[in-house]
Amino acid sequence: MKPVIFRYGIYATLAIVGLSAIHFFVLMPNTSWQNAEIAGYLTMILSMIFVFMGIRYYRDHVKNGVLSFGEGLKIGVLIVLIPSVFFGLFDILYTEVLNPSFFDDYYSHYVQKIKDSTPADQVAAKLKDLQDQKEMFGKPVFQFLLMAGTVFVIGFIVTIISALTLKRNRTASVA
């Protein structure tokens, strides 16, 4: 079980970090914040294909074609933990070391968006809320928990779907 979990967890980690690096360094400088956000979620979803592949490999090669929902859920969750942790760490590396102006740029974009789309009497309150969010999201521990948690939730959904679709009961032999 452990080799399957580590192998497919590492594959998912390489996919999410590799796609995120492309996203952060190539896509984000050349697109809108909204499109970059969509691309970020697509990166997370695409990297979770390795959860499905890992559960399927476990069923076909370790369990001889038999897999209960619980076993699939367990394997999937353990696979998902690996890219979740590494993506949380990668995100901190990106925002703290590689692009320390990320939060200021993101904040500036949303300040302008609020000013452009909010009635004048509500701007101050919205900007206060945004500033509070910036302070909270700017803390590395919170940022790690948020990003790792986001990947984990997406991976958990993929795990449930995968465990349900890959579940295969032992067939009774006819004598």
Side-chain angles (χ1 to χ4, degrees):
M1 178 188 316
K2 286 181 186 177
V4 173
I5 292 165
F6 287 121
R7 180 183 317 130
Y8 286 94
I10 294 299
Y11 291 163
T13 298
L14 292 173
I16 199 167
V17 170
L19 290 171
S20 294
I22 292 168
H23 168 247
F24 287 148
F25 297 113
V26 176
L27 186 66
M28 275 182 46
N30 300 315
T31 191
S32 69
W33 283 100
Q34 183 179 2
N35 288 342
E37 199 169 309
I38 291 168
Y41 283 109
L42 284 174
T43 293
M44 292 177 201
I45 292 167
L46 286 174
S47 66
M48 292 300 119
I49 189 72
F50 291 104
V51 172
F52 176 86
M53 293 170 68
I55 295 170
R56 186 181 67 192
Y57 182 89
Y58 182 76
R59 179 196 71 190
D60 294 344
H61 295 93
V62 176
K63 297 292 284 181
N64 297 320
V66 177
L67 182 77
S68 70
F69 174 76
E71 289 173 317
L73 191 65
K74 180 180 175 182
I75 294 294
V77 165
L78 292 172
I79 291 171
V80 167
L81 284 173
I82 297 169
S84 296
V85 168
F86 279 98
F87 184 72
L89 294 172
F90 177 74
D91 195 67
I92 291 172
L93 174 71
Y94 178 76
T95 59
E96 297 293 319
V97 177
L98 301 174
N99 186 4
S101 67
F102 174 81
F103 282 117
D104 292 332
D105 296 343
Y106 189 78
Y107 177 74
S108 296
H109 166 74
Y110 278 99
V111 164
Q112 191 60 47
K113 188 175 178 180
I114 287 171
K115 288 179 179 179
D116 292 344
S117 64
T118 305
D121 61 327
Q122 297 175 7
V123 168
K126 295 259 187 187
L127 290 177
K128 168 84 171 83
D129 289 344
L130 185 63
Q131 179 62 35
D132 292 345
Q133 288 177 13
K134 180 185 176 192
E135 290 172 13
M136 183 173 57
F137 287 109
K139 296 176 183 171
V141 171
F142 183 81
Q143 183 183 343
F144 170 82
L145 292 173
L146 178 67
M147 298 316 293
T150 302
V151 172
F152 184 81
V153 167
I154 291 170
F156 188 70
I157 292 167
V158 170
T159 295
I160 291 171
I161 293 167
S162 299
L164 285 170
T165 59
L166 293 170
K167 182 180 87 149
R168 192 180 297 159
N169 296 328
R170 193 173 316 261
T171 56
S173 60
V174 178

